[in-house]
Amino acid sequence: MFNQKHLELFNNQQTPFYYYNLELLQNTILAIQKAAPKSYHIHYALKANAHPTLLKPILAAGFGADCVSGNEVKRAVECGFKSENIVFAGVGKSDREINYALEQNIFCFNVESMHELKIINELAGNKGTKAGIALRINPNVDAYTHKYITTGLEENKFGINPYEFDAVLELLKELPNLNFLGLHFHIGSQIQDLTAFKNLCVRVNEINKWFAQKGFLSKNINVGGGLGINYREPDTQAIVDFEAYFKVFQSFLELMPEQQLHFELGRCIIAQCGSLISRVLYIKEGINTNFAILDAGMTELIRPALYQAYHKIENISQLNSVANKKYDVVGPICESSDCFGKAVELPLTQRGDLIAIRSAGAYGEVMSNRYNLRDAVESLFTGSLS
Ligand code: LLP
């Protein structure tokens, strides 16, 4: 994917930095629009990457915003998302965040516990308004992904469990400041086996019917996000097979008349558009292990350290050389977990070479931190550079 033009551009840039390919973002958005039936509502999960420059084409495509904090709601509002297209989830919404979202008159709070229902009812009452709410359900469906990003099992803190359903309905009847809009689900992230989404559909059908039979018809069904990407081959499959994904819901979800279907996609929209670009500071030759020490670390991309995640690593200063040497590619942070990849095959690598750590567009920049008092990092955006 990288060529001589990238190299010239990157050589003038202070490293490390995040590089975003806006052309790929646009093509990914178009692929979603082509694959999703017109009636589907797509919300972009800002938690994956909330940079205003990236939000622009997403907004222009007509997608809504899925937020998990007051500041994400604020970012969405400031970037022009209409309040009726903003949803707000999260197990621990503070009073301040709830009040702000009420003032913005957002479409829906995805509520994660009975206690939260009571508090939103109270805060809406104080403002003399009504809050639109969906119940976030914990469906106990395995996403078959890393345990840190599994959210739909009973052992996870997220959502309302089926054994609470009767009590929730009783409670809802007593809370006058809530407007019941539907049901919300999200079982996890980086889900590559579509079977997990089929299993989700089966559970959604059961739960949806149960609520309808009790007199609570859900106008909206939100199945969350979670569609995974190919970290190993970011160029051969830069855009996920959205058709196969949406087909699962078309085939397995039994929506009732008038029910609207919502999605909250993050990673699969933005991950492949971004790379973390870094320079080699030092080479340390060892007996068993050679180290390539970069000027980027786990402070700029924490996924390998936190989830043992694989990210493809390329030496873009040696585009035409054969990868014939193994390096542990590490950062400068004082932690042994500050390692982007072990025994990575690269061409002979030297001080000053530019290294790209791929698929860093999602959960890269947003999860960066200033540990070791590191400098904040800039971003670089391009359109077509082919
Ligand atoms: N909706 C809800 C309620 C969520 O919690 C999430 C992600 C999404 C939607 C979007 O999921 P996506 O389509 O991006 O998979 N930091 C982790 C990922 C955490 C995901 C948290 N929730 C990582 O780097 O893998």
Side-chain angles (χ1 to χ4, degrees):
M1 174 211 148
F2 291 109
N3 57 36
Q4 200 55 37
K5 286 187 194 155
H6 290 99
L7 206 53
E8 282 159 26
L9 185 68
F10 294 172
N11 263 324
N12 296 323
Q13 197 75 16
Q14 160 103 27
T15 53
F17 63 93
Y18 300 100
Y19 164 66
Y20 296 104
N21 176 346
L22 295 175
E23 190 188 25
L24 179 56
L25 174 58
Q26 194 54 50
N27 290 337
T28 307
I29 290 169
L30 288 174
I32 296 175
Q33 288 176 317
K34 189 161 166 263
K38 288 271 170 297
S39 60
Y40 287 9
H41 302 270
I42 313 288
H43 302 263
Y44 170 67
L46 263 77
K47 66 180 81 63
N49 193 322
H51 200 294
T53 306
L54 301 171
L55 292 180
K56 259 189 218 153
I58 291 169
L59 173 69
F63 295 175
D66 162 42
C67 305
V68 283
S69 72
N71 284 340
E72 283 189 2
V73 175
K74 191 156 179 262
R75 176 67 56 87
V77 169
E78 283 170 0
C79 287
F81 286 86
K82 291 206 186 103
S83 52
E84 68 252 35
N85 292 330
I86 299 179
V87 296
F88 183 12
V91 284
K93 303 177 190 78
S94 71
D95 293 19
R96 208 166 72 160
E97 290 176 312
I98 293 169
N99 277 326
Y100 174 73
L102 285 169
E103 282 153 22
Q104 297 305 318
N105 200 18
I106 64 161
F107 171 58
C108 189
F109 290 84
N110 294 330
V111 180
E112 309 236 6
S113 66
M114 299 227 281
H115 199 168
E116 190 192 331
L117 280 174
K118 290 183 198 164
I119 300 299
I120 295 181
N121 177 68
E122 191 186 313
L123 295 175
N126 292 346
K127 289 191 178 295
T129 184
K130 273 192 164 206
I133 62 110
L135 300 174
R136 175 165 181 181
I137 306 295
N138 185 328
N140 203 15
V141 171
D142 202 334
Y144 302 108
T145 184
H146 192 283
K147 70 174 177 169
Y148 288 2
I149 50 176
T150 293
T151 51
L153 291 178
E154 201 205 328
E155 69 200 50
N156 302 130
K157 66 181 174 181
F158 300 97
I160 295 169
N161 286 293
Y163 54 79
E164 299 171 290
F165 285 177
D166 282 313
V168 167
L169 292 193
E170 286 314 305
L171 182 63
L172 277 179
K173 288 178 198 157
E174 291 166 17
L175 302 177
N177 309 317
L178 302 184
N179 189 7
F180 175 76
L181 297 177
L183 302 173
H184 171 247
F185 303 82
H186 173 75
I187 56 172
S189 198
Q190 182 51 13
I191 299 170
Q192 288 189 286
D193 181 353
L194 294 182
T195 312
F197 293 115
K198 288 183 193 164
N199 296 340
L200 172 64
C201 289
V202 172
R203 281 297 280 148
V204 172
N205 292 339
E206 287 167 13
I207 295 168
N208 186 16
K209 273 190 206 118
W210 188 92
F211 274 86
Q213 276 161 7
K214 297 278 178 182
F216 282 76
L217 185 71
S218 303
K219 282 198 209 109
N220 301 279
I221 298 289
N222 184 333
V223 289
L227 180 59
I229 60 138
N230 191 339
Y231 280 95
R232 298 220 162 242
E233 297 296 339
D235 292 321
T236 46
Q237 212 197 348
I239 299 178
V240 179
D241 186 351
F242 288 110
E243 278 182 17
Y245 171 69
F246 288 117
K247 211 160 235 135
V248 170
F249 296 92
Q250 283 170 281
S251 309
F252 291 89
L253 207 56
E254 294 161 5
L255 290 181
M256 297 171 194
E258 310 293 315
Q259 281 190 324
Q260 301 285 314
L261 184 57
H262 299 251
F263 295 82
E264 300 170 342
L265 299 173
R267 186 191 315 263
C268 60
I269 297 180
I270 207 74
Q272 301 291 27
C273 310
S275 295
L276 173 62
I277 309 293
S278 171
R279 249 179 226 289
V280 177
L281 290 174
Y282 303 104
I283 297 292
K284 200 187 215 182
E285 304 266 355
I287 297 172
N288 297 314
T289 312
N290 303 314
F291 293 95
I293 302 169
L294 308 185
D295 61 5
M298 63 194 286
T299 38
E300 285 71 51
L301 182 69
I302 203 171
R303 302 193 70 261
L306 191 56
Y307 315 112
Q308 299 74 50
Y310 175 90
H311 283 256
K312 190 166 186 183
I313 300 174
E314 290 168 354
N315 184 333
I316 51 177
S317 296
Q318 316 283 347
L319 281 173
N320 301 318
S321 310
V322 188
N324 56 5
K325 211 168 152 103
K326 285 187 179 158
Y327 298 90
D328 279 15
V329 180
V330 301
I333 308 300
C334 300
E335 302 270 344
S336 292
S337 58
D338 184 26
C339 175
F340 290 117
K342 285 198 175 290
V344 181
E345 284 202 14
L346 294 175
L348 185 65
T349 294
Q350 300 161 12
R351 174 175 166 84
D353 282 358
L354 283 166
I355 302 289
I357 304 170
R358 305 290 308 275
S359 317
Y363 307 111
E365 190 167 358
V366 276
M367 292 179 83
S368 66
N369 62 78
R370 307 289 291 275
Y371 182 42
N372 289 191
L373 294 186
R374 298 267 295 165
D375 286 329
V377 163
E378 301 280 309
S379 302
L380 176 71
F381 303 86
T382 66
S384 169
L385 262 191
S386 46

